[in-house]
Structure formats: structure tokens, C-alpha cells
Amino acid sequence: MKILALSGSLRAASINSALLRVTRDLAPAAIEVCLFTRLGDLPLYNPDLENAPPAVAQRLREEVASADAMLIASPEYAHGVSGTIKNALDWLVAFEGFADKPVAILNATPRARHADAALRETLITMSATLIEAASITLSLPSANISEAELLAMPEIVSLLTDVLAKIQRTVKRLPDMKPFLGSSLYIDSQHPAIVAQAAKLAEGCADEEAIAKRCFEFVRDEIKHSWDYRLTPVTCKASEVLIHGTGYCYAKSHLLAALLRANAIPAGLCYQRLTLDGNQPPYCLHGLNAVYLVQYGWYRVDARGNKPGVAADFCPPLEKLAFSIVNPLEQDLPDIHAEPLTAVIKALTEHQTVEQVYEHLPDVEETSE
């Protein structure tokens, strides 16, 4: 596996460049870490040259295209990313070989939180697959540490070795996870409002499990269930749910999936078939989510919103869903879907009021739909 490493600093004694070189030295035989050292040779990005880029920009694109993943370390200048790394990314904005590329970020100091957040937002906007589990902030005693000193620090060696392992695991799983990371009509994870909210929720989180928990709690607690509060409009797209602050369980699951995917965490849609009243018909679908967490695999969560008698929570590996299966005709439908069921979309788009949706709640008779 090849990892292309980019340092946003041109300084000879840059701690960011040193971290990338140390990571290269720690890489096992199965991983090749290649440092691109010519970012300083890139001219300022000019859209007029997009179809005929200068040789160094073309070389960067070729290296990106051939890499299985990327690792970026960049300093913070005046509360922003360095011009070096921003210019390099500008040359990749319209490059197809960068789209969906797995990218991890090394932040050399906790003080560089502004640049770290800005870099994440830029990468997500560019449709990179941000590897949150491998994106870490290090607490170094000084910015003037040599590579030999870094290699002599067991905690740093352990962290960087773990970064490489997480990148490798992510790249191996991506082909199967790609449908659960993409943006679509109803799970519009690249909508600007979704991207901004996802970044806000991820801020300060230590890993993807913490991000997933925060996204879950936001949708569960801050987005009102349409029927509980009798709120209009009827929402379906994730961005609509976020903007209006309300949605049925299905719509809320679309929003949670979008927020997770915007943070490069695989997320799908799940359904239960439940009774509406006691142990007899009618029945309807109930929408919830599955999130893929490296340490647990697929884990189901239910962000429909708590109320008396409903107490869903995020506590992996234990599932704590809103509703339990209580009679033989109720079902936990087994599939994890990348996109909403047709019956769900129909119910949410063909009716104008929450009352009308309630009268036409979707149902399926068989789990194979």
C-alpha cells in the first residue's frame, strides 16, 4: 500500500515534515510512505492552466492518483492553514484522481486547532474520505525536536504506528464501505449546511466513536420528532431536516447518516416493523441507523428522540434502541441500506402534513424489499 505524505511547511527544520519522515521510517514492509517534497515549486494555482498544468503540478496529480491514501501534516499560520498546503490542494480541486481519496491529518500541536478545522473542512468539501480514526493531534514538548528524538519517544512511536495501521485498515474496507460514505439526493452529506454542522460536531473529538456519539445525540436531542411535536413541514432530505429542525424517524435517520458520512464515518439505514398500538395491526416501518465503528463493526443506533417510555442511547457495543420487538409479527429487518426504502420516500414526499404522513405510514410485509 502506498501513502503519499504532504507537509504544509517549507521550513528545513519543520516539525510537521519531521513527523512525516518518522512515520515513513516506522512504516512496515507492506506500507510505503512517500514524501512529496516539491510543494514549494508549485506556482500559485491558476484555473486557466487546469487542463494543461505545469510539470510539477502534473507530477503531484500523478502521485496522488497512484497513492492508496494520503497523510497531511501542516502548521497553522495566523489561525489558518499554510499557503503551501492550500495551494497544493487548489491544484487538486478539479482533479478526478483526488475524489474519494482516503486522507488522514497529523496535527503537530493542540494550539493549531483553527488550521486543523479549516483543513478538515477543505478536504471534506473536496470529497476526500477523511480517516478520522487516523487523524490525530500530538502533544509535543517542543517544536524543535529532531527525528531521532521523536523516534526515541515511545508514546509518539506508538501513536504514529497506530496511525499507519488505521490507514491500512480503512483502505482495505473502503470498497465495501463506499456506498455507505457517499452523498445522494436524500442523504445529501455534501450540502453546505450538513458539512458545516458535521465539522462543528466533530470539533474537539478524540476519535470517530466520539464523533459518532456527538452526531447521534445532536439528532436525537436537537431535532424534534415531527409527530411528537406536530411540526411541519414534512421533511425528507437530510439538509431539510437540519434546516427545519424536525423530521419523522425516517428523516432523522437520513440526517444522522449524512452527518456521519460528512465526517467520513460509514453509515446506513435500518428498519424495524412495529405495531402502532399494542399487539395487533396496523404495523409500520420505523427508521433507525447503523454506523460502522472500527472497534465494533456495524452498530445500530436510534435517534428518533427520547420521551417517556423511550430511552435510546449510544453505548457500544450494547444496543439501546428506542423500541424492543414485543410480538411475533414485529421484526428487526436484517438489512443495512445505503439509501432509503422506496416506501419511506413515498410517504415523506407525497404528503403535505404530519397528520397525512401518520395516516399513510410505510410498511413492508417481507424483509426482502
Side-chain angles (χ1 to χ4, degrees):
M1 186 184 77
K2 176 182 175 181
I3 300 174
L4 180 65
L6 303 182
S7 172
S9 176
L10 301 180
R11 197 166 63 92
S14 163
I15 187 62
N16 291 280
S17 300
L19 280 171
L20 293 176
R21 289 192 292 267
V22 168
T23 304
R24 178 192 58 192
D25 295 342
L26 293 171
I31 301 176
E32 179 187 12
V33 178
C34 301
L35 275 67
F36 188 87
T37 58
R38 297 190 60 197
L39 293 190
D41 298 332
L42 282 170
L44 291 177
Y45 175 66
N46 182 349
D48 290 340
L49 301 178
E50 181 59 42
N51 295 324
V56 63
Q58 181 60 32
R59 181 60 179 167
L60 173 63
R61 291 179 174 186
E62 291 170 356
E63 290 292 328
V64 168
S66 66
D68 297 293
M70 294 175 63
L71 182 61
I72 298 176
S74 184
E76 177 172 296
Y77 296 154
H79 282 193
V81 297
S82 73
T84 301
I85 199 65
K86 183 60 171 65
N87 187 50
L89 293 176
D90 285 345
W91 280 108
L92 299 173
V93 166
F95 177 52
E96 290 184 1
F98 182 81
D100 299 323
K101 185 69 65 176
V103 182
I105 301 171
L106 293 181
N107 184 11
T109 171
R111 296 192 303 275
R113 63 184 185 278
H114 300 283
D116 187 60
L119 181 56
R120 288 166 180 267
E121 183 175 354
T122 297
L123 290 168
I124 291 172
T125 302
M126 291 173 62
S127 298
T129 299
L130 192 60
I131 310 175
E132 285 291 351
S135 297
I136 62 171
T137 296
L138 298 102
S139 295
L140 301 174
S142 169
N144 299 308
I145 302 177
S146 69
E147 292 166 50
E149 290 173 313
L150 287 170
L151 285 168
M153 300 171 67
E155 65 276 18
I156 298 300
V157 170
S158 177
L159 284 171
L160 296 179
T161 301
D162 190 49
V163 163
L164 290 169
K166 287 177 177 176
I167 292 175
Q168 185 178 44
R169 286 199 299 269
T170 299
V171 169
K172 286 182 177 179
R173 84 184 187 199
L174 269 178
D176 293 333
M177 292 299 166
K178 189 172 182 179
F180 300 98
L181 287 165
S183 183
S184 62
L185 178 61
Y186 295 104
I187 305 178
D188 50 347
S189 57
Q190 293 304 312
H191 188 283
I194 297 289
V195 171
Q197 185 62 48
K200 181 179 178 181
L201 291 169
E203 187 174 355
C205 290
D207 53 33
E208 62 182 12
E209 183 178 337
I211 295 171
K213 178 179 174 66
R214 189 175 287 179
C215 290
F216 163 79
E217 291 177 344
F218 170 77
V219 177
R220 182 192 65 184
D221 300 337
E222 302 300 326
I223 305 298
K224 294 180 171 60
H225 190 283
S226 296
W227 184 248
D228 289 353
Y229 290 86
R230 302 299 196 274
L231 290 175
T232 55
V234 176
T235 56
C236 187
K237 291 183 180 181
S239 57
E240 296 173 342
V241 181
L242 178 61
I243 291 167
H244 295 288
T246 185
Y248 267 92
C249 59
Y250 325 105
K252 293 186 70 171
S253 73
H254 301 170
L255 174 58
L256 180 53
L259 291 170
L260 292 167
R261 293 182 189 184
N263 277 308
I265 300 174
L269 308 172
C270 301
Y271 300 93
Q272 293 175 317
R273 187 176 189 242
L274 304 174
T275 181
L276 280 172
D277 184 20
N279 296 323
Q280 59 187 5
Y283 293 85
C284 71
L285 288 175
H286 171 61
L288 54 152
N289 293 92
V291 54
Y292 189 87
L293 301 172
V294 173
Q295 56 270 58
Y296 304 112
W298 284 110
Y299 172 66
R300 291 193 305 169
V301 291
D302 192 339
R304 65 89 58 207
N306 289 342
K307 62 179 184 178
V310 174
D313 205 353
F314 184 101
C315 44
L318 177 68
E319 283 187 352
K320 193 170 183 182
L321 304 179
F323 303 109
S324 301
I325 302 302
V326 296
N327 74 59
L329 290 180
E330 291 188 324
Q331 293 176 285
D332 274 320
L333 303 186
D335 294 331
I336 300 173
H337 302 266
E339 296 296 326
L341 292 179
T342 301
V344 168
I345 298 301
K346 182 177 179 180
L348 295 179
T349 59
E350 294 187 357
H351 302 100
Q352 302 301 311
T353 69
V354 292
E355 290 79 13
Q356 289 171 347
V357 174
Y358 186 80
E359 292 299 322
H360 299 87
L361 289 173
D363 188 17
V364 289
E365 296 296 336
E366 298 179 359
T367 62
S368 59
E369 179 172 328

